[in-house]
Amino acid sequence: MQLLMAANWKMNKTCAEAVDTLTQLKAQLSGMDADRECVLFAPFTALTACAETLDNNSRISMGGQNCYPAKDGAFTGECSPAMLLDAGCTWVLTGHSERRAIFGESDAFIGKKTAFALESGLKVVLCIGETLEERDSGQLAAVLERQLREGLAGVDVALSAPNLAVAYEPVWAIGTGRVAGPKEIVEAHTLVRSFLRQRFSTQGHDLRILYGGSVKPENAREIIRLDNVNGVLVGGASLQAESFSRIALA
Ligand code: PGA
């Protein structure tokens, strides 16, 4: 199983800035081990220019940060999976906690996006994670189980394992500098793995589970060595090529 090292640039970088960072990253990651792949979730406006910056030999793929679950139509401000594919993407993110919290996306809607994106030929990173309040009130397992059940509701059990990854991102660790400890990460990833095994039988063993939330060059190596951690999803520390490449090569 290849580790998936993912960068989420969120709403940052103009086109020129994005291409500049990616050009540096391409050079820094050219010697990356074959056991890893990188995906860069860039803003919509920079996707085409970034995809054109990559070549067949580069170890980086492009992804959209969001999509709408319809082929086309009157959905002002939205972007379809077909448009992402057209812009050179192979991946899309669904269920990011910022989409859930700021844009009110429900588990059911996230499930529709996940299934539709996969059917459309994109690979998907489905993000899940509990708030501090949910964790403190003993709801960790119930929240993760609900987000996985609904987020994956329409997904074909016969899917190809490299096409879907789940990112466990505790909301209290995103952008806060407070990374989850090894025990917390292993506990959550074990819950996710057991759900995936039940849902997808043997395939569930091969789906990648990423950790996200304040991943930095200083903690990445320790995190990717933990049981059932098959990569990372990085926000703040992915904005500079140097810091993301140190993570990707950790
Ligand atoms: P962070 O963000 O690395 O800045 O905590 C992670 C994410 O939101 O995916």
Side-chain angles (χ1 to χ4, degrees), residues 161-175:
N163 291 352
L164 174 68
V166 171
Y168 168 63
E169 299 202 300
V171 177
W172 45 272
I174 296 179

Side-chain angles (χ1 to χ4, degrees), residues 3-9 25 29 32 37-42 59-64 89-93 123 125 210 232-234 238 244:
L3 291 179
L4 182 58
M5 314 302 274
N8 175 11
W9 282 352
L25 260 181
L29 296 180
M32 188 170 66
E37 67 171 307
C38 276
V39 54
L40 175 56
F41 294 100
R59 313 288 309 284
I60 306 169
S61 315
M62 296 307 303
C89 292
T90 44
W91 287 90
V92 68
L93 273 185
K123 302 178 187 186
V125 176
L210 317 184
V232 285
L233 177 55
V234 188
S238 73
F244 183 65

Side-chain angles (χ1 to χ4, degrees), residues 8 10 96-98 169 173-177 212-216 233-237:
N8 175 11
K10 308 192 180 183
H96 191 280
S97 67
E98 286 147 19
E169 299 202 300
I174 296 179
T176 58
S214 298
V215 175
K216 304 269 180 284
L233 177 55
V234 188

